[in-house]
Amino acid sequence: MVFRRSGPWRWTVEHSYAIPYPQLGSVLGEQEIGVLAQLVNSGDNLSGGRCREEFERSFREYLGVPHALSVTSGTVALEIAIRLLDLRAGDEVIATPQTYKASVQPLLNYPVKVRFCDVEPGSLNLDPQHFESLITSRTRAVILVHYGGLPCDMDAVTAIARRHGITVIEDCAHALGSEYRGRKPGALADIGCFSFHSSKNITTLGEGGMITLFDGALAERVDRIRSNEADAVYHEQVRPIAERTSAHPWMMHPGLAFTHGCGTIRYGGTNATLAEPNAAVGTVQLLRMDELVGRRAEIARTYTEVLTQFPGVRMQRGTEGVRNAHHLYTFFVDPASGIMRDRLVSRLDALGVQMQLRYFPLHLLSEWRAMGHDLGECPVAERMWFEQQVNLPCHPGMTDRQVDRLASAVDAVLREEVRGTPIEAGTARKTKGWT
């Protein structure tokens, strides 16, 4: 495998893989093309119209929440959710290190202390016991992720948070299609944030996000922020300025200027309007949720059948009563059994399986080390990522042939690792799915 730097922050892999790591987490078809054609031919406004309203209504009904507000990306959803915390200097936020950087990157803009909570070795989700040990009188919130689509132990986390008056933000970027004891992520805490990036379980044409809430006042703030209105506290004016002008307010986009005054200004707003084509596709994708997650589950079962043969391998597991959406397929290897993770990954790569490890522990990123974080802060997350964790490609666009070929490659490499039997030339190609 050859790496080439294609920019200051990006490397390109110059290698052709039989099973590439997915760039697309969903599949688009005739239904999506049909709604796009209908929308374009309708002559309707392509921003902030009926398609967005329908997508948000469908999302509310799917999750069982009173408020769901779409935005332009999952990152924007997290940025707005963190705004709602009204953080002040000296406040503290607890966060998981085992996630994509967008989960906590907005906190770099605030004069707050971030405490990274270690993860459970079986699930890679936030460890409730460690979470409670990190709480102080300044703790305002916790940001967690349902890693790989496996729900976090939300009953334990929310019980702790309620005792201490802490806001719980669910990063549900991986979790659409999963369930936790009969409920869905995004409806398990105070605020839920979803991503519809191309790599996620459904997509809204590359980018998109959603914020889910139970609190109507917070939902109103989100709506103002995403609509280029100031996030502020308003009050009715005793003498509105409408008395002083003959202009027509409805022609001037004045907001509340003619009827209200403004007290506290929290933040300025922004334009985070999800475009109508994106929303239209999102509605179709949501209707296909069971199909898309079902295909991920089929692929996961194939992998699991192979992996359970090996005593040095264990599967990602969570609490009882959960359904994994399998955004990522994750398993762990035990170095004491003779299976060395880096060697395993390298051998799979050589057999044509493109490997990626998701995600590098956030507290070890340069920007967070500059904030005082370092090795040893989250020893479980560090041990799992550097020594034991493996992610396999798992997405509904994979063909049966690709899945069988990958499973055969994993089986062949693990047999060599565990039993010390070298892979003979052509062995992998003789097993199921290889040609």
Side-chain angles (χ1 to χ4, degrees), residues 233-280:
V233 178
Y234 295 89
H235 56 269
E236 290 189 12
Q237 291 180 318
V238 177
R239 294 183 60 190
I241 63 170
E243 297 177 359
R244 303 175 60 86
T245 180
S246 59
H248 299 293
W250 54 87
M251 297 179 66
M252 296 174 59
H253 303 287
L256 300 175
F258 285 91
T259 57
H260 286 69
C262 180
T264 303
I265 301 175
R266 302 184 186 97
Y267 303 96
T270 188
N271 179 6
T273 302
L274 185 68
E276 289 292 274
N278 304 76

Short mmCIF file of all heavy atoms in Angstrom, two decimals, residues 233-280:
data_model
loop_
_atom_site.label_atom_id
_atom_site.label_comp_id
_atom_site.label_asym_id
_atom_site.label_seq_id
_atom_site.Cartn_x
_atom_site.Cartn_y
_atom_site.Cartn_z
N VAL A 233 -33.12 36.97 24.05
CA VAL A 233 -34.34 37.04 24.85
C VAL A 233 -35.09 38.31 24.44
O VAL A 233 -34.55 39.42 24.54
CB VAL A 233 -34.01 37.08 26.36
CG1 VAL A 233 -35.30 37.21 27.17
CG2 VAL A 233 -33.24 35.83 26.77
N TYR A 234 -36.32 38.13 23.98
CA TYR A 234 -37.12 39.25 23.49
C TYR A 234 -38.29 39.52 24.43
O TYR A 234 -38.76 38.63 25.14
CB TYR A 234 -37.64 38.95 22.09
CG TYR A 234 -36.55 38.83 21.05
CD1 TYR A 234 -35.94 37.60 20.79
CD2 TYR A 234 -36.14 39.93 20.33
CE1 TYR A 234 -34.93 37.48 19.85
CE2 TYR A 234 -35.13 39.83 19.37
CZ TYR A 234 -34.53 38.60 19.14
OH TYR A 234 -33.54 38.49 18.20
N HIS A 235 -38.79 40.76 24.40
CA HIS A 235 -39.96 41.12 25.18
C HIS A 235 -40.82 42.08 24.37
O HIS A 235 -40.32 42.83 23.53
CB HIS A 235 -39.56 41.77 26.50
CG HIS A 235 -38.68 42.97 26.33
ND1 HIS A 235 -37.30 42.87 26.31
CD2 HIS A 235 -38.97 44.29 26.14
CE1 HIS A 235 -36.77 44.08 26.14
NE2 HIS A 235 -37.77 44.95 26.02
N GLU A 236 -42.12 42.04 24.60
CA GLU A 236 -43.02 42.92 23.87
C GLU A 236 -42.77 44.37 24.26
O GLU A 236 -42.55 44.69 25.42
CB GLU A 236 -44.48 42.55 24.15
CG GLU A 236 -44.90 41.22 23.54
CD GLU A 236 -46.40 41.01 23.64
OE1 GLU A 236 -47.11 41.99 23.97
OE2 GLU A 236 -46.84 39.87 23.41
N GLN A 237 -42.78 45.25 23.25
CA GLN A 237 -42.54 46.66 23.50
C GLN A 237 -43.82 47.36 23.94
O GLN A 237 -44.91 47.07 23.44
CB GLN A 237 -42.00 47.33 22.24
CG GLN A 237 -40.60 46.90 21.86
CD GLN A 237 -40.13 47.62 20.61
OE1 GLN A 237 -40.90 47.78 19.67
NE2 GLN A 237 -38.87 48.04 20.61
N VAL A 238 -43.66 48.27 24.88
CA VAL A 238 -44.79 49.09 25.29
C VAL A 238 -45.19 50.01 24.15
O VAL A 238 -46.37 50.20 23.85
CB VAL A 238 -44.44 49.91 26.56
CG1 VAL A 238 -45.60 50.82 26.93
CG2 VAL A 238 -44.09 48.98 27.71
N ARG A 239 -44.18 50.62 23.51
CA ARG A 239 -44.43 51.50 22.36
C ARG A 239 -43.68 50.95 21.15
O ARG A 239 -42.54 51.30 20.91
CB ARG A 239 -43.97 52.92 22.65
CG ARG A 239 -44.76 53.60 23.75
CD ARG A 239 -44.28 55.02 23.92
NE ARG A 239 -44.46 55.78 22.68
CZ ARG A 239 -43.93 56.99 22.48
NH1 ARG A 239 -43.18 57.56 23.41
NH2 ARG A 239 -44.15 57.63 21.33
N PRO A 240 -44.32 50.03 20.39
CA PRO A 240 -43.62 49.44 19.25
C PRO A 240 -43.29 50.49 18.19
O PRO A 240 -44.01 51.47 18.04
CB PRO A 240 -44.63 48.41 18.72
CG PRO A 240 -45.96 48.89 19.21
CD PRO A 240 -45.69 49.54 20.53
N ILE A 241 -42.20 50.28 17.48
CA ILE A 241 -41.77 51.27 16.50
C ILE A 241 -42.69 51.32 15.29
O ILE A 241 -42.57 52.21 14.46
CB ILE A 241 -40.32 51.02 16.03
CG1 ILE A 241 -40.20 49.66 15.32
CG2 ILE A 241 -39.35 51.11 17.19
CD1 ILE A 241 -38.86 49.47 14.64
N ALA A 242 -43.62 50.38 15.22
CA ALA A 242 -44.61 50.45 14.15
C ALA A 242 -45.40 51.74 14.20
O ALA A 242 -45.92 52.22 13.19
CB ALA A 242 -45.55 49.25 14.23
N GLU A 243 -45.50 52.34 15.40
CA GLU A 243 -46.22 53.61 15.54
C GLU A 243 -45.45 54.76 14.90
O GLU A 243 -46.01 55.83 14.67
CB GLU A 243 -46.43 53.90 17.03
CG GLU A 243 -47.29 52.88 17.74
CD GLU A 243 -47.40 53.19 19.23
OE1 GLU A 243 -46.79 54.18 19.66
OE2 GLU A 243 -48.09 52.44 19.94
N ARG A 244 -44.17 54.55 14.61
CA ARG A 244 -43.33 55.63 14.15
C ARG A 244 -42.98 55.53 12.67
O ARG A 244 -42.11 56.24 12.17
CB ARG A 244 -42.03 55.67 14.96
CG ARG A 244 -42.28 55.81 16.47
CD ARG A 244 -40.98 55.72 17.24
NE ARG A 244 -40.05 56.77 16.84
CZ ARG A 244 -40.04 58.01 17.37
NH1 ARG A 244 -40.91 58.34 18.31
NH2 ARG A 244 -39.17 58.92 16.96
N THR A 245 -43.60 54.60 11.95
CA THR A 245 -43.28 54.44 10.54
C THR A 245 -44.52 54.04 9.76
O THR A 245 -45.44 53.42 10.30
CB THR A 245 -42.19 53.37 10.35
OG1 THR A 245 -41.90 53.24 8.96
CG2 THR A 245 -42.63 52.02 10.89
N SER A 246 -44.52 54.39 8.51
CA SER A 246 -45.63 53.99 7.64
C SER A 246 -45.23 52.83 6.74
O SER A 246 -45.97 52.46 5.84
CB SER A 246 -46.06 55.18 6.77
OG SER A 246 -44.95 55.63 5.98
N ALA A 247 -44.01 52.26 6.97
CA ALA A 247 -43.54 51.16 6.14
C ALA A 247 -44.38 49.90 6.40
O ALA A 247 -45.04 49.77 7.43
CB ALA A 247 -42.08 50.87 6.44
N HIS A 248 -44.34 49.02 5.44
CA HIS A 248 -45.06 47.75 5.57
C HIS A 248 -44.11 46.70 6.12
O HIS A 248 -43.23 46.23 5.39
CB HIS A 248 -45.62 47.31 4.22
CG HIS A 248 -46.57 48.28 3.63
ND1 HIS A 248 -47.81 48.54 4.19
CD2 HIS A 248 -46.47 49.08 2.54
CE1 HIS A 248 -48.44 49.44 3.47
NE2 HIS A 248 -47.65 49.79 2.46
N PRO A 249 -44.25 46.29 7.36
CA PRO A 249 -43.30 45.36 7.98
C PRO A 249 -43.12 44.06 7.20
O PRO A 249 -42.02 43.53 7.12
CB PRO A 249 -43.89 45.10 9.36
CG PRO A 249 -44.76 46.28 9.62
CD PRO A 249 -45.30 46.69 8.28
N TRP A 250 -44.22 43.56 6.60
CA TRP A 250 -44.14 42.26 5.95
C TRP A 250 -43.32 42.29 4.66
O TRP A 250 -43.04 41.28 4.07
CB TRP A 250 -45.53 41.73 5.65
CG TRP A 250 -46.39 42.69 4.88
CD1 TRP A 250 -46.45 42.82 3.53
CD2 TRP A 250 -47.28 43.65 5.42
NE1 TRP A 250 -47.33 43.80 3.18
CE2 TRP A 250 -47.86 44.33 4.33
CE3 TRP A 250 -47.67 44.02 6.71
CZ2 TRP A 250 -48.79 45.36 4.49
CZ3 TRP A 250 -48.59 45.03 6.87
CH2 TRP A 250 -49.15 45.69 5.78
N MET A 251 -42.90 43.48 4.24
CA MET A 251 -42.07 43.60 3.04
C MET A 251 -40.60 43.87 3.37
O MET A 251 -39.78 43.97 2.48
CB MET A 251 -42.59 44.74 2.16
CG MET A 251 -44.00 44.52 1.64
SD MET A 251 -44.59 45.89 0.63
CE MET A 251 -43.48 45.78 -0.78
N MET A 252 -40.27 43.95 4.65
CA MET A 252 -38.93 44.41 5.02
C MET A 252 -38.12 43.39 5.81
O MET A 252 -37.03 43.69 6.27
CB MET A 252 -39.03 45.70 5.83
CG MET A 252 -39.63 46.86 5.05
SD MET A 252 -39.89 48.31 6.10
CE MET A 252 -38.23 48.61 6.68
N HIS A 253 -38.63 42.18 6.03
CA HIS A 253 -37.94 41.17 6.83
C HIS A 253 -37.46 41.72 8.17
O HIS A 253 -36.28 41.60 8.53
CB HIS A 253 -36.74 40.58 6.06
CG HIS A 253 -37.10 40.00 4.74
ND1 HIS A 253 -37.77 38.82 4.61
CD2 HIS A 253 -36.90 40.46 3.48
CE1 HIS A 253 -37.96 38.55 3.33
NE2 HIS A 253 -37.46 39.54 2.63
N PRO A 254 -38.35 42.34 8.93
CA PRO A 254 -37.88 42.99 10.17
C PRO A 254 -37.81 42.09 11.38
O PRO A 254 -37.43 42.54 12.46
CB PRO A 254 -38.94 44.07 10.38
CG PRO A 254 -40.20 43.41 9.89
CD PRO A 254 -39.78 42.54 8.71
N GLY A 255 -38.22 40.83 11.26
CA GLY A 255 -38.25 39.98 12.44
C GLY A 255 -39.24 40.52 13.46
O GLY A 255 -40.39 40.82 13.13
N LEU A 256 -38.79 40.69 14.69
CA LEU A 256 -39.66 41.19 15.76
C LEU A 256 -39.48 42.69 15.98
O LEU A 256 -39.96 43.24 16.97
CB LEU A 256 -39.34 40.45 17.07
CG LEU A 256 -39.53 38.93 17.04
CD1 LEU A 256 -39.06 38.32 18.35
CD2 LEU A 256 -40.99 38.57 16.77
N ALA A 257 -38.82 43.36 15.04
CA ALA A 257 -38.44 44.76 15.27
C ALA A 257 -39.62 45.67 15.54
O ALA A 257 -39.51 46.62 16.33
CB ALA A 257 -37.65 45.28 14.06
N PHE A 258 -40.78 45.41 14.94
CA PHE A 258 -41.92 46.29 15.09
C PHE A 258 -42.74 46.01 16.35
O PHE A 258 -43.59 46.80 16.72
CB PHE A 258 -42.83 46.19 13.86
CG PHE A 258 -42.28 46.90 12.67
CD1 PHE A 258 -41.48 46.23 11.76
CD2 PHE A 258 -42.53 48.25 12.46
CE1 PHE A 258 -40.96 46.87 10.67
CE2 PHE A 258 -42.01 48.90 11.36
CZ PHE A 258 -41.21 48.22 10.46
N THR A 259 -42.47 44.87 16.99
CA THR A 259 -43.32 44.50 18.12
C THR A 259 -42.56 44.20 19.41
O THR A 259 -43.17 44.20 20.49
CB THR A 259 -44.13 43.24 17.76
OG1 THR A 259 -43.22 42.20 17.39
CG2 THR A 259 -45.09 43.52 16.61
N HIS A 260 -41.26 43.94 19.32
CA HIS A 260 -40.52 43.49 20.50
C HIS A 260 -39.21 44.26 20.67
O HIS A 260 -38.63 44.77 19.70
CB HIS A 260 -40.17 42.00 20.39
CG HIS A 260 -41.33 41.09 20.60
ND1 HIS A 260 -42.37 41.00 19.71
CD2 HIS A 260 -41.63 40.24 21.62
CE1 HIS A 260 -43.26 40.11 20.15
NE2 HIS A 260 -42.83 39.64 21.30
N GLY A 261 -38.77 44.31 21.92
CA GLY A 261 -37.43 44.77 22.23
C GLY A 261 -36.57 43.56 22.57
O GLY A 261 -37.07 42.43 22.68
N CYS A 262 -35.28 43.76 22.71
CA CYS A 262 -34.34 42.67 22.94
C CYS A 262 -33.57 42.90 24.23
O CYS A 262 -33.03 43.99 24.44
CB CYS A 262 -33.38 42.56 21.76
SG CYS A 262 -32.16 41.25 21.94
N GLY A 263 -33.53 41.87 25.08
CA GLY A 263 -32.77 41.93 26.31
C GLY A 263 -31.43 41.25 26.12
O GLY A 263 -30.54 41.75 25.45
N THR A 264 -31.30 40.04 26.65
CA THR A 264 -30.04 39.30 26.58
C THR A 264 -29.80 38.76 25.17
O THR A 264 -30.69 38.15 24.57
CB THR A 264 -30.07 38.12 27.58
OG1 THR A 264 -30.32 38.63 28.88
CG2 THR A 264 -28.75 37.37 27.55
N ILE A 265 -28.61 38.99 24.65
CA ILE A 265 -28.20 38.41 23.37
C ILE A 265 -27.19 37.31 23.66
O ILE A 265 -26.12 37.56 24.19
CB ILE A 265 -27.58 39.47 22.44
CG1 ILE A 265 -28.58 40.60 22.17
CG2 ILE A 265 -27.13 38.81 21.13
CD1 ILE A 265 -28.01 41.73 21.36
N ARG A 266 -27.56 36.08 23.33
CA ARG A 266 -26.67 34.95 23.58
C ARG A 266 -25.65 34.79 22.45
O ARG A 266 -24.45 34.77 22.67
CB ARG A 266 -27.48 33.66 23.75
CG ARG A 266 -28.53 33.71 24.88
CD ARG A 266 -29.20 32.35 24.99
NE ARG A 266 -30.30 32.34 25.94
CZ ARG A 266 -31.58 32.48 25.60
NH1 ARG A 266 -31.92 32.65 24.33
NH2 ARG A 266 -32.53 32.44 26.52
N TYR A 267 -26.18 34.63 21.23
CA TYR A 267 -25.34 34.42 20.06
C TYR A 267 -26.03 34.99 18.85
O TYR A 267 -27.26 35.16 18.84
CB TYR A 267 -25.09 32.91 19.79
CG TYR A 267 -24.48 32.15 20.93
CD1 TYR A 267 -25.28 31.42 21.81
CD2 TYR A 267 -23.10 32.13 21.12
CE1 TYR A 267 -24.71 30.71 22.86
CE2 TYR A 267 -22.53 31.42 22.15
CZ TYR A 267 -23.34 30.72 23.02
OH TYR A 267 -22.78 30.02 24.05
N GLY A 268 -25.25 35.23 17.81
CA GLY A 268 -25.85 35.53 16.52
C GLY A 268 -26.34 34.25 15.87
O GLY A 268 -25.91 33.15 16.23
N GLY A 269 -27.22 34.39 14.90
CA GLY A 269 -27.72 33.22 14.20
C GLY A 269 -26.87 32.90 12.99
O GLY A 269 -25.83 33.52 12.74
N THR A 270 -27.30 31.90 12.24
CA THR A 270 -26.60 31.51 11.02
C THR A 270 -27.61 30.91 10.06
O THR A 270 -28.76 30.63 10.45
CB THR A 270 -25.47 30.51 11.31
OG1 THR A 270 -24.71 30.29 10.13
CG2 THR A 270 -26.04 29.16 11.78
N ASN A 271 -27.21 30.71 8.84
CA ASN A 271 -28.08 30.03 7.88
C ASN A 271 -27.71 28.55 7.86
O ASN A 271 -26.70 28.17 7.27
CB ASN A 271 -27.93 30.64 6.48
CG ASN A 271 -28.82 29.94 5.46
OD1 ASN A 271 -29.64 29.09 5.81
ND2 ASN A 271 -28.68 30.30 4.20
N ALA A 272 -28.52 27.74 8.51
CA ALA A 272 -28.29 26.30 8.54
C ALA A 272 -29.49 25.57 7.96
O ALA A 272 -29.87 24.50 8.41
CB ALA A 272 -28.03 25.83 9.96
N THR A 273 -30.10 26.17 6.94
CA THR A 273 -31.30 25.62 6.32
C THR A 273 -30.96 24.42 5.44
O THR A 273 -30.17 24.54 4.50
CB THR A 273 -32.01 26.68 5.46
OG1 THR A 273 -32.32 27.81 6.26
CG2 THR A 273 -33.28 26.13 4.85
N LEU A 274 -31.54 23.28 5.75
CA LEU A 274 -31.37 22.11 4.89
C LEU A 274 -32.17 22.32 3.62
O LEU A 274 -33.38 22.57 3.65
CB LEU A 274 -31.86 20.85 5.62
CG LEU A 274 -31.61 19.53 4.88
CD1 LEU A 274 -30.12 19.21 4.81
CD2 LEU A 274 -32.36 18.38 5.56
N ALA A 275 -31.50 22.25 2.47
CA ALA A 275 -32.15 22.51 1.19
C ALA A 275 -33.22 21.47 0.89
O ALA A 275 -33.17 20.33 1.35
CB ALA A 275 -31.10 22.54 0.07
N GLU A 276 -34.20 21.89 0.09
CA GLU A 276 -35.33 21.03 -0.24
C GLU A 276 -34.91 19.72 -0.93
O GLU A 276 -35.44 18.65 -0.58
CB GLU A 276 -36.33 21.79 -1.12
CG GLU A 276 -37.08 22.88 -0.39
CD GLU A 276 -38.05 22.30 0.63
OE1 GLU A 276 -39.19 21.96 0.27
OE2 GLU A 276 -37.63 22.18 1.80
N PRO A 277 -33.98 19.71 -1.90
CA PRO A 277 -33.59 18.42 -2.49
C PRO A 277 -33.02 17.46 -1.45
O PRO A 277 -33.30 16.25 -1.48
CB PRO A 277 -32.53 18.83 -3.52
CG PRO A 277 -32.86 20.24 -3.87
CD PRO A 277 -33.34 20.85 -2.59
N ASN A 278 -32.21 17.99 -0.52
CA ASN A 278 -31.64 17.15 0.53
C ASN A 278 -32.74 16.56 1.41
O ASN A 278 -32.72 15.37 1.74
CB ASN A 278 -30.68 17.97 1.40
CG ASN A 278 -29.59 18.63 0.59
OD1 ASN A 278 -29.84 19.62 -0.07
ND2 ASN A 278 -28.39 18.10 0.64
N ALA A 279 -33.69 17.41 1.80
CA ALA A 279 -34.77 16.95 2.66
C ALA A 279 -35.66 15.93 1.96
O ALA A 279 -36.11 14.95 2.57
CB ALA A 279 -35.60 18.15 3.13
N ALA A 280 -35.92 16.14 0.67
CA ALA A 280 -36.76 15.21 -0.09
C ALA A 280 -36.12 13.82 -0.12
O ALA A 280 -36.80 12.80 0.08
CB ALA A 280 -36.97 15.74 -1.50
#
